[in-house]
Amino acid sequence: MDCPITQRGRRPVANTTKETLIDWLRDAHAMESQAVEMLERQAERIKNYPDVLAKVQEHIEVSNRQADRLKQCLQRLGTDTSAIKTGVAMLIGNAQSLSGVVASDEIVKASIFDYSFEHFEIANYRALISAAEQAGEPEIARMLQPSLDEELEMAAWLEQRLPQLTKTYLERRETAGTAEAKR
């Protein structure tokens, strides 16, 4: 249920826990759309890092499933996603991934960003689960738990591999040059 438009054309602040939950679920859906855009662009440019490429491709599928879960949560609450929030997030995701194109150390910077973004997603899912419980929506909280678990797994995977990925990049840069090390 959307908040009504005021006379000035602005939406009032959500005034119930359930309305807040709906707003946050829409934000999270946009967040997952942003993640998919960023990961798809990264996957196009990391051919020399096959283990990272495979994990990025896997996480694209995971993020799409998470977006679907969020949409199901919103439908369960009698509403839908926000096309505006989703569209803006996708643009931001494309812009973020394009920022790495000019960086000679794109693979390392993208991995650092991905690691931090995973923790942003983890925090969002923790807050969403708590808000769903507070709103008397235990089924929504249950539906969101797999997404939290998936984000925790991805963050742990990145944390474990970031030191070796950094070393591999630096070794390749020394022996093959920046262009080959980059991707």
Side-chain angles (χ1 to χ4, degrees):
M1 165 170 104
D2 282 331
C3 296
I5 304 285
T6 63
Q7 289 180 347
R8 293 184 177 201
R10 290 183 278 179
R11 293 188 185 280
V13 174
N15 56 14
T16 69
T17 301
K18 189 172 181 177
E19 288 171 339
T20 301
L21 174 61
I22 288 168
D23 194 40
W24 290 354
L25 287 166
R26 287 181 177 143
D27 291 344
H29 184 269
M31 171 187 71
E32 291 301 346
S33 297
Q34 178 181 353
V36 168
E37 288 297 317
M38 288 184 313
L39 293 170
E40 285 177 345
R41 299 299 80 77
Q42 284 178 16
E44 294 168 358
R45 298 189 308 271
I46 56 174
K47 63 182 169 112
N48 290 334
Y49 297 86
D51 59 328
V52 178
L53 176 59
K55 191 64 173 179
V56 164
Q57 290 171 330
E58 175 189 313
H59 204 64
I60 290 168
E61 293 174 25
V62 168
S63 294
N64 279 320
R65 281 195 311 270
Q66 291 169 344
D68 288 342
R69 269 188 216 120
L70 290 159
K71 189 172 184 176
Q72 289 170 12
C73 290
L74 286 162
Q75 289 170 343
R76 185 173 177 81
L77 294 170
T79 190
D80 207 347
T81 61
S82 168
I84 293 171
K85 285 182 180 184
T86 300
V88 169
M90 290 171 76
L91 288 172
I92 292 169
N94 272 313
Q96 173 59 39
S97 65
L98 288 174
S99 68
V101 172
V102 295
S104 62
D105 54 354
E106 176 182 11
I107 187 69
V108 175
K109 286 188 175 156
S111 296
I112 292 167
F113 180 83
D114 290 347
Y115 180 70
S116 64
F117 195 78
E118 288 305 315
H119 285 278
F120 176 74
E121 290 178 303
I122 289 165
N124 273 277
Y125 282 114
R126 288 188 194 280
L128 281 169
I129 289 167
S130 181
E133 290 167 349
Q134 183 69 25
E137 296 290 343
E139 182 62 18
I140 299 292
R142 186 197 63 74
M143 292 171 70
L144 295 171
Q145 186 62 48
S147 296
L148 174 59
D149 295 341
E150 291 159 349
E151 298 302 354
L152 287 165
E153 186 276 328
M154 183 63 173
W157 188 90
L158 287 163
E159 181 175 357
Q160 180 182 11
R161 283 168 181 77
L162 189 56
Q164 184 57 50
L165 175 72
T166 303
K167 289 175 186 176
T168 301
Y169 164 79
L170 292 170
E171 288 167 1
R172 286 182 181 173
R173 192 183 76 191
E174 289 293 321
T175 59
T178 303
E180 283 303 308
K182 179 178 178 174
R183 299 186 174 138

